[in-house]
Structures are given as C-alpha cells and as structure tokens.
Amino acid sequence: MPDRGGGPTGPRIRVGRPSRRVRTLLMTLGVLAVLAMAFVMFAGFWTDWLWYRSVEYSSVFTTTLWTKIGLFLVFGLLMAIAVGVNIWLAHRLRPPLSAMSLEQQSLDRYRMSVAPYKKWVLLAITALVGLIAGASASGQWRTWLMYVNSVAFGQKDPQFKLDVSFYAFDLPWYRFLLGFGFAAAVLSLIAAALTHYLYGGLRITSPGARATAAATGHLSVLLGIFVSLKAVAYWLDRYGLAVKSSDFKATDNWTGLRYVDANAYLPAKTILFCIAAICAVLFFATLWRRTWQLPVIGFGLMVLSAILIGGLYPAIVQKFQVQPNEQAKEAPFIAKNIDATRDAYDIDDAQVDDYTGKSTETDDAKLRTDADAAASYRVMDPNVVSPAFQQLQQKRNYYQFPRTLDVDRYKGPDGKEQDTVIGLRELNLEGLPKRNWINDHFTYTHGYGAIAARGTTTGTNPAGSPDFTESGLPASGQLGKYEQRIYYGEKTAQYSIVGGPQKELDYEEDGEKTTSYKGDSGVSLANAFNRAAYAVSFSEPQILYSGAIGEGSRILYNRTPKERVEAVAPWLTIDGDAYPAVVDGRIQWVVDAYTTTNGYPYASRTTLGDTTADSLTTNQRAVVAQQNQVNYIRNSVKATVDAYDGKVKLYEWDTKDPVLKTWRKAFPGTVKSRADIPAELMDHLRYPQDLFKVQRELLTRYHVQDPAQFYSGSDAWQVPDDPTNKEPGAVPPYYLSMKMPGQDAQKFSLTTTFTPKGRPDLGAFMAVDADAASKDYGTMRLLRVTTTVKGPGQVQSELNGNDDVAEFVRNLKGTDSDIEYGNLLTVPLDGGFLYIEPVYTRGGTQNYPLLRKVAASYGSKIVFENSLGEALNAVFGVEDTGPAEPTEPPSDTTEPPATGDAALKKAIADAQKAYTEGETALQKQDWTAYGKAQADLEDALKRAAAAQPKPGSGADGAEAADKADAADKADDKGTDQGS
C-alpha cells in the first residue's frame, strides 16, 4: 500500500522504536507518577501517625493498625487459599478429553483462551477474593479485640446460665467466623463448579452422566461443609434467642426469650441442628457412594423441617397456647426482661416513692420560707440567654458563643457554690473583616476567655441582662487568673498554623495585641517532608512553599473536644455536650464518654440517637452516637481536653464496668485510674445529660417491676413535649440545685418530669444527684404522683391564657418585641409542686433576650410578676419578704457615694458625654453601644442626684438644683429619641 503521508512517489516515513532519550524520559515520568500516587496514599497514613504521636496516644494508632493488618492478612489469605485450592483441585480432577459434544465444542475456545494464562487467572481470582475478604475482616477489629481481651461480667443469663460476657464479647466473634465460613464455602463451591463445567467435569446438555465421579465427590464435600456450617448456625441461634429483638405488646423494643421462644423455637433449633449434622454426613458419604440421592433427600428433609419445625410449629404454639392466656404465659419472661433491662441501664437502684402532689400546708408564710430553701431557682436559662452573652460580651465580630450555654458550679464571694451559666468566647471565622488564607489559618487562631453569669440573679446593665461574674476582654472576675486563650473548642473546626514567623492576633482592646503560640500541641512543620504530607493530606499546596511557615511552626487540627476524644478512644461513645470548666488555671473541656454493648441478654434495646433527642438537639447540640442500637450503657470514662494545648486525658469513672476493663486490656495505659482525677476537676464533674435521657426514657416503662402491671401498661409514663418551645420535641432535662423530700440541703441535680401515657397531667418527677463529689452521686429518686396534678403543658397553657400575660403581650406589640419563655422548672415543695418560669423579651432596641417577668404556679394559683421574689410572694399570698435571689455581702472596701460640688459637676459632665454617645450610636443604629450609653447616663444621673445638697441650703444648692434640672432634661430628651 502506498504511504499515506507522501503518496506513491513521495518519501516513505520509517516508524521505528522511540529513541533511548525518549524511552528514558517516559520511564522516568512513569516512575515519578507511581511515586506521586504512592506518596498521596502514604500522606494520610503519615499525618495520622504524626497526630497520634503529638497527643501521646500512638499506642492506640499502632494497636488498631496492627490489628487491622493482622485480620486483613489472616482472613484474606484464608479466603484466597480456600478459593484457590478448590479451583486448582477442580482443574486437577478434570476428565480426559473425549469425543466432543456440541456443548464441549462451544467451551473449547474458552479453554484454549484461558490455557496460556491459567496461573495468572488463578492468581487474579484468588487475589481479588482475598482482598475483599481481608478488607471486610479488618473492619471487625473491635469484635476481635473484645473477644481476645474479654472480662467476665460476673452475671449469668437466666436461660442458659452463661456469663453475660459470652453474649457481649464471644458470640459476636463466633458469628463473624460463621459468616466468613459461609462466604468461603459458597465462593469455593461456585468457583469449583465453574471450573468443573469449563473442563468437562459437569455437563448440562451432553448425553450420559451429568457429572464425573471426581466432580461429584468434590462438590459434595463442599456442600457437606456448607451444611455443617448451617448446623453450627442452628446451635448458635439457640443462644442468639437471649439477645433477639421482637415485637411484643408489653414493650416496643423487647429483647430476649418469650414463651414461644423457650418452648418452640429453642427445641426446634436443637432438632434442626441434629438434622443438619446428619445431612452433612450424608454429603460427605458421597466420597464413597458416588451418588447424590441420599444427600439430596436429606437436604430436602432439612428444608422441610426448617419450614415445619422452625416456622409452623412456633406459630401454632403462639396461636393456641400463648394468645388465650398471654399475660400468664409471658409473666416469667417479662420478669427476666425487667430485671435485665434495669441492670443493663443502671436504673435498678432507682427509688420510686408515692407523692400526693398536693400540699396540706396551710401556713402561707411557711410555704414562702420553704420555697426559698427548696431550690436555687435558675432564672437564667442557658438555652435562651446565649444571644445576650453574644451582644454584651462578644466584643468583636470574629468571636462567638455556643447557642446553648452550660450550667456549672463555682464558688461566690461568700465561698458557697452557686449555679453558674458559662460559655467560652470562641473564634468565628465568618466574622473576620477580611477572609484569606493567612487570616484564616495564621492570624486569627484562637478565642479568648470564659464568660460566666449567676444562674439565679439578673444584672442591671441593662436591666434583665445576665449578672456576669466573669466578663470583659481579657476576662476578669470571680474565676481568678487562668490561661484564657482557646485554641481548642466546640466551634473550632479549621486548622491553624502557629508558633512560626507569622504573628497571631491575640485580642483587640485598647490596641491590637499579638502573640505566638507557646504550647507543645500540634505537629511540627519544620521539615519539608511533613509540610509536603500535610499539603497533600489537606489539599493545600501553600503549606509546602508558604514563607509564613518556618522554624517553630506547628499545625493544629482535630480541634473540637469530641473529635479528639473519639480519635484517641475510638471504642467510646461520646456524649453530645462537652462543657468547659476553669480548673487549676486552665480551661478544660469535660467530655462524658460511654461504653456500650448490644449483647446484654434479655435487656431491651434503645436507639441512642432517638432516645437522646429533645426540643434542643435539632439545631443546638449534637446527638450522641446517632442511630447506634445498644442494650447496655455505662458512663465509664470522664475525659478532659485542654483548651490551650489540646491535651486529652481519659479517667476511669465506673470502676466496675467489665466493658471498660476489656478495653483497658486492649489499650493498656490509655485510661488513668479514678484516683488520678484532680480534686478541683472533681468539683466540676456532673451527671451526663445523654445518659440521663436514655435512662428516663427506659423508666417510662421500667419503673414498674410487677410483670402483670408491666404487661397491661396501666402505669406507663411518657416524657412530655417541651411546652416552652414552638418546635415539637421532648422537654430537656434541667440542671438545678434543689432539695428532694426528706433531704436537708440542696444538691446539684438533673431533673425531669413525666406525664401518664396519653395524658397531660403530671405523672412523676425524677431527679438524680448530679454532683460528682457527692457520696450520693447517681442516686435516682422518682416521685410517683398519686393525685391529679397539672402537668408542664397544662401550666404553660394556663400561663398563656392569663390576663396579665395577655396584657403584657399586647403591650409588646407596640414595641416590636417578642416574648420568649425560659425553662419551666418543677420543684417539689411541701407535698405539692412549684413551677417557676422566667419570661424574656427580645426585639425593639435590643436584639437579645432580657428577663422581664417571672411566672410561678403552685396548686391552682398562677402568677406573673416582675421578679422571682415578687412571683413567690404573690403565689403564696404573702407580703414582701425581701429578695429571693441570693445577694452578695457588702464589701468592706466599698467607698461611700461621692458628694459635693466637684462630684456633681463630674456627674453632669459624664451625663452629657453619655447622652452624646447615645445620639451617635442611635444614628448608626448600634444598639449595643446605645444600650451602654443609656446605662452610663442613668448611672451619671444617680450620682448627680446623690451629690447635690439638700433643698434650701443656699446658693450652692440652687446652682446644684439648676444643674440637676439640666441633666434631667438631657435624660428626658435621650429617652424620647431612644423610643
């Protein structure tokens, strides 16, 4: 053919091999490409190792890694050998070639195409199934570690008398092995059958025998192995009945044996085990008999038995023995379920006492006095007042507070503990004046300071605002001196690079302050290899070449407390709400962590994500463990994360928990003993909310211990919806210092209410001692209400229909403000229940909630007053007894108010200055500045009034009066313009 390039008479182009230089270049590029891909894959591994080493938990990384590698190699190799050997054996047992049938002729071309590559095909198939099996097995590292390190519970199940550890640790591993065995048998059977078919051992359309004797024997053995595994499965299913979930009228999440299980399914599984074992022997016997007649008959018998004995017989027992008298038949099994569930969720010691709910006390004065001692009524709702913290203490747009603040205890000036609402001023990159890579990751790196307010009182600047005990930038107050920089927090999701040549913004107050990180947290970026690894891992090439990174630079990431604890203890389930505490001069995040299992016999299961949800979890805090199903839970570990250097410490909390003991054996040295908890930290540890919500949900049914009553559901409760929230959702539990009946003093508690199933009135009240330093920590007390008492929803409805509330709401409409209800607190008092609810307004000149009213209800009376003290006086019908809120003792260093002409002149000058600042803020619509100016103006006018002489004291007095009148006019003008 003529060359296409030059035509018949043109020059011919010779196409030869590329030159050596081109080949060398291509080879080099290929090697570089392979190295680049290898480095990309290696970068993730290397950065993980560096991070674990930086937090001093490298043993967790290595233990997990080697366990995964070991499982991958062992089970991947076993699967590859099982499939490969059976393919090789089927090929070895192939019949000699004979006269070709049409079927064999069509297969011949496949045999010929495979023949030159038989070894490679065998290696490819075995490698593929080995990789898949190994990857699947490596995901079982938790199951293996729990099995090999298992610790006995010391409790036996009531049916088989086996230790609970068998179901929690051993049975899951046996089931994995069984599943792996089934997969290996099925894949080997398929691979062997295809190989026999390809090489003539099996024939579908050819005349004569359908299978050679060798193929028959080989496949029969594989079928025998499969049926043997089925026999083992039937035997394990017997024990699985103890942890089997089923639908049952008595409870939605029944776990364990019922009458039909013990009297029908259990003997059926035993019979099926025997039939399967006999059937397996028949399959193995084909090695000698060379016929499938008996094995097929046996297999058919096994299938028929599974239908009749395993399905039809239990249905007959349920229909004709159980249903006619179900309560009596199921009573012994209900009793076992109740005992196991109460033990598994640690609610077996919950005290249930009858409580009338209606007071017989007729002395109003005594009721009023007892009300003051019954609780420290928290009028600052941490779920509402965050915007007030934001407006009054944010200071800069690049700071933020969590939407839900935390409740803790700190000592006041009198040395007594007081309920405190606290939040950290964390970094908010969305508020930066300019977003770029340097600002996001080098300049703005940390938040600054803890802000705290009394939970039981309000401030006066402005009125109804939080009464701050720690405020300002830098923060100062009752918390003393501590490291205020917050490099690790709940809102800190981005990475930061600190400690290098680039200075960080510390804070802005009277000028810009800069700093450089001095902690030893994070991973060093001093060498090029680490920088390259992080550039690849974070998909950020600037990390590799930026001049802002140099000697001393460290990269901080995984910065939320939840992320850090989950990483160093992947076997723990983390509570949805980490909270800050100032301990020994540092801010420590306290994280509650749980050990769980899904294998506690007879204990009913619960879905953590559903059980821990309430009216606040949708947008305001994470839900623990999402959809994990468990039937055993313990708050076994208290963890801390240092807000400055990110150090994670795990402390043993439940010293008896066998699940924690098992994990401590698997990861020795990672969890410190309970005795190592510092005393100051112990003062801030509390009962966790998520565990409490799981327990209260179980107690709606499992407070009943009589099987007949439990079956009927006549005393079932429910957690009521939150009446103060427009969105549907369960009422959240509340931390509150209060006294339960019979207690001598208030205790820091976590409380909740119950209503009868399907009814709005109050069914019960529950409180748990939440103070970790208390000897009664974790003690649960339930007050079962024996009369008809208004529930939270009914109280809220009555409040909404109250005339005073209606008038208050009407007046708000003219000011463009909205009413916002705070936590509806319930407190037992002298045989009855006292309800207290703070009411806030939001809008108008201030876009944050301020406490304006307090509602109270006791018995049939409901009141709506200006303060807590007035509400308590009104609801009990007594005269003013003084403020109910705790007040601080006067300081010995308080100076007397300044008097005289000089003080008057200064006060008037300050009033004029405040008025001018208010006018400026009003024009800019800066409501925070305007509110501060109005407060300064009010303070100046008070000082002016105190400084002026008494009327009629001469010319000075007249002059002072004139100046005071001028100040009053300035105040009136400012008020009018503000309106």
Side-chain angles (χ1 to χ4, degrees):
M1 290 180 64
D3 184 84
R4 292 184 180 181
T9 58
R12 294 183 180 273
I13 299 176
R14 296 174 62 91
V15 180
R17 296 177 63 191
S19 66
R20 179 176 294 179
R21 179 178 298 177
V22 174
R23 293 200 305 271
T24 303
L25 177 61
L26 292 175
M27 187 176 297
T28 303
L29 290 176
V31 171
L32 290 176
V34 171
L35 290 175
M37 288 188 290
F39 184 77
V40 169
M41 291 186 289
F42 176 74
F45 163 81
W46 182 245
T47 53
D48 284 347
W49 161 249
L50 290 175
W51 186 86
Y52 275 96
R53 192 174 64 176
S54 72
V55 295
E56 299 177 354
Y57 280 88
S58 55
S59 64
V60 174
F61 180 81
T62 54
T63 299
T64 305
L65 177 65
W66 287 118
T67 303
K68 289 180 178 179
I69 291 174
L71 292 172
F72 178 87
L73 293 176
V74 170
F75 287 95
L77 190 61
L78 286 174
M79 183 64 77
I81 290 173
V83 175
V85 165
N86 280 283
I87 293 175
W88 173 84
L89 188 58
H91 179 265
R92 182 75 178 270
L93 296 174
R94 68 190 184 278
L97 292 177
S98 58
M100 292 290 182
S101 64
L102 290 176
E103 180 184 21
Q104 292 302 309
Q105 288 176 5
S106 64
L107 290 174
D108 190 53
R109 62 176 179 269
Y110 293 108
R111 287 193 287 266
M112 292 180 64
S113 61
V114 170
Y117 311 104
K118 285 190 293 188
K119 291 183 179 179
W120 293 108
V121 171
L122 179 62
L123 288 174
I125 293 174
T126 55
L128 179 62
V129 297
L131 287 173
I132 295 173
S136 175
S138 66
Q140 298 293 322
W141 65 271
R142 290 181 176 86
T143 307
W144 165 250
L145 287 177
M146 293 182 78
Y147 169 73
V148 77
N149 295 287
S150 63
V151 172
F153 274 68
Q155 295 171 284
K156 295 184 178 181
D157 78 282
Q159 181 67 39
F160 301 102
K161 310 304 179 185
L162 296 174
D163 191 88
V164 173
S165 62
F166 171 80
Y167 301 93
F169 305 138
D170 299 346
L171 189 58
W173 178 249
Y174 296 152
R175 282 176 164 167
F176 164 72
L177 292 179
L178 185 63
F180 178 83
F182 274 123
V186 170
L187 289 175
S188 297
L189 183 63
I190 293 172
L194 288 175
T195 306
H196 280 299
Y197 177 68
L198 182 63
Y199 287 97
L202 289 177
R203 304 180 181 91
I204 297 177
T205 60
S206 300
R210 300 297 185 188
T212 64
T216 301
H218 184 195
L219 297 179
S220 295
V221 169
L222 291 176
L223 287 170
I225 292 173
F226 178 86
V227 177
S228 298
L229 292 172
K230 188 60 182 174
V232 176
Y234 282 133
W235 188 257
L236 288 181
D237 285 346
R238 298 169 69 254
Y239 303 110
L241 293 172
V243 290
K244 183 193 76 170
S245 292
S246 60
D247 295 329
F248 187 34
K249 176 183 175 181
T251 180
D252 295 334
N253 298 302
W254 176 273
T255 300
L257 285 84
R258 292 160 51 194
Y259 181 90
V260 68
D261 297 311
N263 295 279
Y265 279 111
L266 187 57
K269 296 293 183 182
T270 305
I271 294 171
L272 289 172
F273 162 75
C274 297
I275 294 174
I278 294 170
C279 186
V281 171
L282 294 177
F283 273 107
F284 291 134
T286 57
L287 285 172
W288 298 275
R289 292 180 56 85
R290 304 296 184 181
T291 176
W292 279 354
Q293 184 176 6
L294 285 179
V296 169
I297 293 174
F299 188 80
L301 177 62
M302 185 180 75
V303 173
L304 183 62
S305 300
I307 295 172
L308 296 178
I309 302 176
L312 185 60
Y313 174 63
I316 294 173
V317 171
Q318 178 69 24
K319 179 72 174 177
F320 295 102
Q321 290 191 32
V322 178
Q323 287 186 4
N325 192 17
E326 188 173 49
Q327 179 176 315
K329 294 289 186 181
E330 301 289 8
F333 302 95
I334 293 175
K336 296 174 185 177
N337 176 267
I338 292 173
D339 291 342
T341 303
R342 288 174 61 88
D343 183 73
Y345 291 95
D346 202 20
I347 56 177
D348 51 328
D349 292 330
Q351 304 173 25
V352 181
D353 299 315
D354 288 339
Y355 188 79
T356 61
K358 292 187 177 180
S359 176
T360 57
E361 179 61 60
T362 57
D363 187 345
D364 292 338
K366 184 178 185 304
L367 284 170
R368 177 64 180 86
T369 303
D370 291 346
D372 282 343
S376 296
Y377 304 97
R378 185 168 39 73
V379 293
M380 282 290 107
D381 185 353
N383 308 306
V384 174
V385 300
S386 178
F389 274 54
Q390 191 81 2
Q391 290 289 328
L392 300 175
Q393 294 296 326
Q394 179 188 21
K395 301 300 182 183
R396 295 292 183 270
N397 286 337
Y398 48 80
Y399 291 132
Q400 65 178 326
F401 290 93
R403 290 186 60 183
T404 298
L405 302 174
D406 289 290
V407 178
D408 202 347
R409 295 139 295 151
Y410 288 90
K411 291 182 179 178
D414 57 359
K416 294 182 179 179
E417 284 191 345
Q418 58 188 14
D419 291 359
T420 301
V421 178
I422 187 170
L424 298 190
R425 189 191 284 120
E426 293 191 48
L427 187 64
N428 176 23
L429 290 182
E430 299 299 326
L432 293 188
K434 184 177 181 181
R435 297 291 303 273
N436 55 53
W437 190 64
I438 293 295
N439 277 351
D440 286 3
H441 302 290
F442 291 83
T443 305
Y444 295 89
T445 60
H446 58 278
Y448 210 97
I451 303 301
R454 292 181 179 88
T456 55
T457 61
T458 61
T460 58
N461 187 16
S465 64
D467 184 7
F468 293 108
T469 58
E470 184 80 10
S471 59
L473 182 66
S476 60
Q478 294 181 5
L479 299 183
K481 187 177 180 180
Y482 61 96
E483 174 55 68
Q484 298 196 20
R485 297 172 183 85
I486 302 163
Y487 284 88
Y488 295 88
E490 288 183 300
K491 302 295 183 181
T492 315
Q494 78 287 352
Y495 71 88
S496 289
I497 299 175
V498 298
Q502 179 72 35
K503 288 291 185 181
E504 310 163 45
L505 175 68
D506 205 17
Y507 60 89
E508 291 182 272
E509 190 75 9
D510 299 328
E512 186 177 290
K513 311 292 184 183
T514 60
T515 188
S516 186
Y517 186 64
K518 300 295 190 301
D520 58 358
S521 181
V523 177
S524 173
L525 295 179
N527 65 74
F529 186 81
N530 285 0
R531 292 174 66 171
Y534 279 100
V536 170
S537 184
F538 286 10
S539 301
E540 188 57 75
Q542 294 185 79
I543 294 177
L544 184 60
Y545 56 78
S546 174
I549 303 175
E551 190 65 31
S553 292
R554 309 179 73 84
I555 184 168
L556 313 181
Y557 62 104
N558 287 351
R559 298 171 69 182
T560 68
K562 185 175 185 290
E563 283 178 322
R564 297 181 79 78
V565 176
E566 279 181 333
V568 303
W571 36 274
L572 289 174
T573 299
I574 310 303
D575 190 271
D577 183 30
Y579 62 95
V582 178
V583 178
D584 292 329
R586 309 280 287 208
I587 298 175
Q588 300 283 352
W589 288 100
V590 181
V591 182
D592 285 289
Y594 310 106
T595 48
T596 63
T597 181
N598 196 26
Y600 197 102
Y602 274 101
S604 289
R605 289 183 171 87
T606 186
T607 303
L608 292 182
D610 296 337
T611 311
T612 58
D614 58 34
S615 63
L616 303 175
T617 54
T618 305
N619 298 314
Q620 299 193 36
R621 60 189 292 262
V623 178
V624 60
Q626 296 304 320
Q627 296 305 309
N628 285 7
Q629 269 210 336
V630 304
N631 67 351
Y632 171 93
I633 186 170
R634 289 292 187 274
N635 177 211
S636 54
V637 171
K638 301 282 189 182
T640 62
V641 177
D642 193 289
Y644 182 74
D645 61 21
K647 277 190 171 57
V648 182
K649 294 181 180 178
L650 307 175
Y651 296 102
E652 175 190 32
W653 185 248
D654 190 328
T655 57
K656 299 179 180 178
D657 178 29
V659 182
L660 177 60
K661 291 178 180 178
T662 295
W663 286 118
R664 291 187 76 179
K665 282 180 64 179
F667 296 96
T670 56
V671 181
K672 300 177 182 293
S673 69
R674 180 165 176 158
D676 293 331
I677 299 177
E680 190 171 348
L681 173 62
M682 184 70 78
D683 292 337
H684 295 280
L685 299 182
R686 67 189 192 187
Y687 203 85
Q689 291 188 63
D690 283 338
L691 175 61
F692 184 76
K693 285 190 283 188
V694 170
Q695 292 171 324
R696 74 172 179 178
E697 185 64 34
L698 268 296
L699 281 167
T700 59
R701 292 303 307 270
Y702 286 93
H703 68 279
V704 176
Q705 298 186 58
D706 177 69
Q709 190 178 14
F710 185 92
Y711 177 86
S712 68
S714 60
D715 195 23
W717 300 334
Q718 65 185 13
V719 179
D721 284 340
D722 186 356
T724 68
N725 200 307
K726 296 178 182 178
E727 299 297 326
V731 62
Y734 296 126
Y735 288 105
L736 183 68
S737 291
M738 56 160 290
K739 286 197 306 184
M740 287 289 279
Q743 291 182 337
D744 297 328
Q746 295 179 16
K747 294 192 175 184
F748 187 67
S749 305
L750 190 54
T751 67
T752 192
T753 54
F754 298 99
T755 58
K757 189 77 170 178
R759 288 163 48 198
D761 49 298
L762 191 64
F765 176 82
M766 173 179 170
V768 61
D769 190 332
D771 184 357
S774 168
K775 63 181 178 63
D776 295 323
Y777 172 83
T779 300
M780 289 183 179
R781 296 190 60 190
L782 290 97
L783 303 179
R784 181 195 285 114
V785 180
T786 57
T787 60
T788 302
V789 177
K790 289 182 295 186
Q794 293 172 312
V795 171
Q796 188 66 47
S797 296
E798 286 189 15
L799 178 62
N800 293 340
N802 184 274
D803 292 339
D804 293 337
V805 176
E807 182 180 358
F808 183 73
V809 172
R810 282 196 301 271
N811 293 337
L812 283 179
K813 291 182 179 178
T815 62
D816 194 28
S817 297
D818 292 322
I819 190 171
E820 200 163 334
Y821 293 107
N823 38 219
L824 180 58
L825 303 176
T826 308
V827 177
L829 176 65
D830 288 342
F833 285 100
L834 172 64
Y835 290 96
I836 298 291
E837 182 174 30
V839 179
Y840 304 83
T841 61
R842 181 172 181 169
T845 58
Q846 107 281 336
N847 193 27
Y848 56 91
L850 295 177
L851 182 67
R852 294 303 188 195
K853 295 283 186 176
V854 176
S857 175
Y858 190 76
S860 60
K861 191 172 184 180
I862 189 166
V863 298
F864 189 67
E865 301 295 337
N866 293 323
S867 67
L868 174 61
E870 292 178 16
L872 291 175
N873 290 338
V875 79
F876 295 117
V878 299
E879 298 296 328
D880 185 15
T881 60
E885 298 86 347
T887 56
E888 295 184 22
S891 172
D892 294 338
T893 60
T894 303
E895 297 181 1
T899 58
D901 191 51
L904 180 60
K905 290 179 179 179
K906 185 178 186 309
I908 294 174
D910 290 344
Q912 185 60 46
K913 178 183 177 184
Y915 170 71
T916 303
E917 291 175 348
E919 289 288 289
T920 303
L922 195 61
Q923 293 173 1
K924 295 180 179 179
Q925 293 190 350
D926 185 346
W927 304 118
T928 302
Y930 181 75
K932 183 177 183 303
Q934 292 301 301
D936 291 344
L937 178 60
E938 181 182 359
D939 177 67
L941 293 177
K942 288 180 179 178
R943 287 189 282 115
Q948 63 179 337
K950 294 180 180 180
S953 58
D956 292 340
E959 181 182 356
D962 291 340
K963 292 179 179 179
D965 289 341
D968 289 339
K969 291 176 181 179
D971 181 34
D972 293 339
K973 183 177 180 182
T975 303
D976 293 340
Q977 299 224 9
S979 303

